[in-house]
Amino acid sequence: MKVTAVLLAAGQGTRMKSDLPKVLHPLCGKPMLWHVLEALKSVTTEKPVVVVGHGAEAVRKYIGDLAECVLQEPQLGTGHAALQAEPLLKGKTDVVIVTYADMPLLRGETFRQLVETQRLNPGPFSLLTVIADDPRGFGRIVRNADGTVAAIVEEYVATAEQRAIKELNVGAYCFQADWLWEALQRIEKNPKKDEYYLTDIVEVATRDHFPVQAVLHDDFVETIGINSRVHLSEAEAAMRLRINREHMLNGVSLMDPASTYIDVAANIGRDTTIMPNTYIHGNTIIGEGNVIGPNTIIRDSRIGNRCKVLASVLEGALLEDDVDIGPFARLRKGAHLKSHVHMGNFGEVKDSTLHEGVKMGHFSYIGNATIGANTNIGAGTITCNYDGEKKHPTEIGEDVFIGSDTMLVAPLKLGDGARTGAGAVVTKNVPEDTLVVGVPARAIRKLERKKKG
Ligand code: UD1
Ligand code: CA
């Protein structure tokens, strides 16, 4: 059985009061449209179709080849939107799931129940409903005596009696494809709003005496739809709880889930502990046995195993195993800290590799540099990598000792075992095992290196 999803995403989203198309507003790090596409993956067999309109260019650009796009222009309502998929899908699928792209919390499992209900339904379609005290402007479900659906009544046309109905239209439908296209043509324009409402397709079915089945869903949270930023924040909170719960069930400790913000794409290994007020954004991958936070922001970074990251900000960084950083470390793109690196407070590293066992305890800036294994970077060391026009590299060897407050004026190389005196301004390459001091630094003596290990 071929199952195809059609997502309606052409509406203006007026109530969001935003320049960004509604369906591109992010929820735990991904646009709401992504969440819907993701949930549908497990139920559909064909590439989904997204109906775009308002902000079509931006939405299409985001979608890329995640889905097919069709343009709805002008936007004449949800029924008219669904009809735009006909040229792409007619004769090509057995079943069509139609849903709204502003319902990002619906789960794959819920769509599966809907498809299953429709498979057993002699009628042409089934839809999802929920019972809730707060109707949030959703369409009300009017049932026949036999339990089939008689109508969906939109709130603004509902009578007082209909408004009191607690069963609501969620906005997910499963249709027999060959019936759908013709039925969509028969929806009449709603006289009040000058739009074709998908919800009026119930009327088309009942006119033909076809039964419409409803799947009553028991999780109201999943059915949060986003029309305003208030709804967006509610959906974000619900999604965050869901993500955090999943991590905890997978063996991650969250000391305070309420102040832990993990994007949907992040990956965290077992026995890692996340302390309060921590943000893990983007495609971050964190291994096992780490302690992250409190007060930490990590974006698009990779962290190995058994690391400690305290009160720090990481972006585009790579930490191998047993790395210990913070408090107040800042790692920017291209920072690569190999195993057993220690980086203390107020350090910044960008586009640099710190090899095994490098120690950088206090107040330093390391940019466009390679630092050899077991080198010690004294407090206040700066790589002067920028001359106002270009960035220049600094190469520091192994077992080097950089004295406090050293300025390393790049381009520059320091050989293995070199040392600099406190306050040195190093402008020339330093041979291995050599001590340089002063401003500008000059060599004063050859050193004898203690061999380690
Ligand atoms: C809709 C339903 C309502 C349901 C609610 C659940 C209709 C008429 N009403 O109301 O019964 O309870 O969702 O969330 O369907 N769209 C288009 N083209 C258009 C108009 C809308 O693609 O011409 C898209 C929007 O981008 C949006 C979706 O359809 O993603 C739903 O539209 P929206 O205006 O949000 O409908 P609701 O008022 O929420
Ligand atoms: Ca909506």
Side-chain angles (χ1 to χ4, degrees):
M1 186 170 85
K2 285 187 177 168
V3 183
T4 312
V6 174
L7 279 71
L8 309 189
Q12 195 179 352
T14 322
R15 292 163 278 184
M16 294 297 282
K17 304 202 172 145
S18 176
D19 292 336
L20 187 68
K22 176 164 81 172
V23 297
L24 295 186
H25 275 262
L27 208 69
C28 297
K30 294 276 190 190
M32 57 178 98
L33 179 59
W34 178 91
H35 291 274
V36 186
L37 287 168
E38 193 62 22
L40 285 162
K41 262 187 194 165
S42 63
V43 235
T44 51
T45 60
E46 316 298 303
K47 202 169 193 177
V49 175
V50 180
V51 181
V52 299
H54 181 80
E57 209 175 305
V59 179
R60 258 185 218 270
K61 190 167 163 224
Y62 172 72
I63 289 173
D65 58 7
L66 291 176
E68 302 286 348
C69 290
V70 283
L71 185 66
Q72 183 198 17
E73 187 63 61
Q75 290 104 42
L76 300 178
T78 47
H80 176 254
L83 189 57
Q84 307 311 305
E86 179 182 4
L88 273 184
L89 296 183
K90 194 167 190 177
K92 302 223 172 85
T93 183
D94 303 304
V95 165
V96 180
I97 299 172
V98 178
T99 190
Y100 305 143
D102 62 357
M103 311 281 310
L105 286 150
L106 286 172
R107 291 176 190 267
E109 182 50 38
T110 308
F111 285 114
R112 205 166 316 124
Q113 279 170 22
L114 178 63
V115 172
E116 190 52 27
T117 303
Q118 178 50 27
R119 223 170 52 82
L120 304 172
N121 180 11
F125 80 99
S126 303
L127 56 89
L128 200 64
T129 69
V130 71
I131 288 180
D133 286 330
D134 176 4
R136 303 163 162 255
F138 278 26
R140 310 296 202 274
I141 301 289
V142 181
R143 295 253 195 180
N144 293 312
D146 67 356
T148 57
V149 178
I152 303 171
V153 185
E154 291 304 301
E155 183 168 275
Y156 77 100
V157 290
T159 62
E161 198 183 325
Q162 286 167 332
R163 274 170 184 251
I165 295 174
K166 292 203 185 310
E167 188 175 15
L168 311 172
N169 176 34
V170 170
Y173 317 79
C174 182
F175 297 99
Q176 214 173 288
D178 49 9
W179 180 84
L180 172 65
W181 310 120
E182 185 251 343
L184 285 171
Q185 312 263 15
R186 288 164 61 199
I187 292 178
E188 281 162 27
K189 204 175 224 180
N190 186 295
K192 283 209 175 150
K193 287 264 164 116
D194 226 21
E195 285 190 0
Y196 299 90
Y197 280 178
L198 180 58
T199 43
D200 288 340
I201 203 161
V202 175
E203 225 178 277
V204 177
T206 50
R207 248 185 274 150
D208 292 347
H209 308 290
F210 283 132
V212 174
Q213 293 290 351
V215 184
L216 176 59
H217 195 51
D218 56 8
D219 182 6
F220 173 70
V221 168
E222 250 187 75
T223 68
I224 294 175
I226 298 170
N227 294 330
S228 73
R229 300 206 196 218
V230 174
H231 303 149
L232 182 65
S233 76
E234 287 166 6
E236 172 98 24
M239 180 67 76
R240 195 187 316 138
L241 279 181
R242 189 189 282 184
I243 291 169
N244 285 353
R245 198 180 134 78
E246 208 161 297
H247 284 298
M248 290 187 277
L249 292 174
N250 287 337
V252 179
S253 289
L254 306 186
M255 178 161 274
D256 179 24
S259 71
T260 304
Y261 305 80
I262 306 175
D263 279 359
V264 64
N267 234 297
I268 307 175
R270 57 195 288 169
D271 290 323
T272 282
T273 299
I274 312 282
M275 307 292 273
N277 199 28
T278 293
Y279 301 74
I280 299 173
H281 292 306
N283 296 314
T284 293
I285 300 175
I286 297 176
E288 300 184 359
N290 299 285
V291 181
I292 310 288
N295 302 335
T296 292
I297 305 173
I298 302 177
R299 181 180 293 280
D300 296 326
S301 295
R302 291 186 67 157
I303 294 177
N305 305 313
R306 302 175 302 279
C307 293
K308 288 197 176 76
V309 177
L310 167 62
S312 294
V313 178
L314 284 64
E315 185 161 3
L318 167 58
L319 271 57
E320 297 193 7
D321 297 337
D322 305 291
V323 172
D324 161 24
I325 70 169
F328 318 121
R330 168 132 195 250
L331 300 185
R332 292 164 54 204
K333 82 172 171 51
H336 179 176
L337 275 50
K338 295 203 172 184
S339 302
H340 296 283
V341 166
H342 163 73
M343 182 177 163
N345 40 228
F346 306 112
E348 174 179 345
V349 176
K350 181 219 76 166
D351 274 328
S352 295
T353 300
L354 276 55
H355 283 273
E356 284 78 1
V358 167
K359 306 250 173 312
M360 172 178 157
H362 337 261
F363 318 107
S364 289
Y365 170 61
I366 299 296
N368 303 87
T370 337
I371 317 253
N374 302 317
T375 282
N376 186 85
I377 308 283
T381 297
I382 306 288
T383 52
C384 311
N385 61 332
Y386 186 50
D387 61 10
E389 282 174 16
K390 272 174 137 179
K391 303 278 167 66
H392 299 282
T394 302
E395 271 177 53
I396 300 177
E398 297 179 2
D399 300 317
V400 171
F401 183 92
I402 307 288
S404 294
D405 210 20
T406 296
M407 300 295 122
L408 299 162
V409 183
L412 195 64
K413 283 187 188 174
L414 281 79
D416 294 347
R419 292 175 80 100
T420 71
V425 176
V426 186
T427 56
K428 292 200 187 98
N429 292 347
V430 179
E432 56 175 46
D433 302 315
T434 302
L435 171 65
V436 298
V437 301
V439 183
R442 62 201 188 283
I444 57 165
R445 113 161 89 86
K446 196 80 184 164
L447 302 162
E448 212 169 296
R449 208 178 337 158
K450 286 189 207 89
K451 288 274 170 268
K452 291 210 170 123

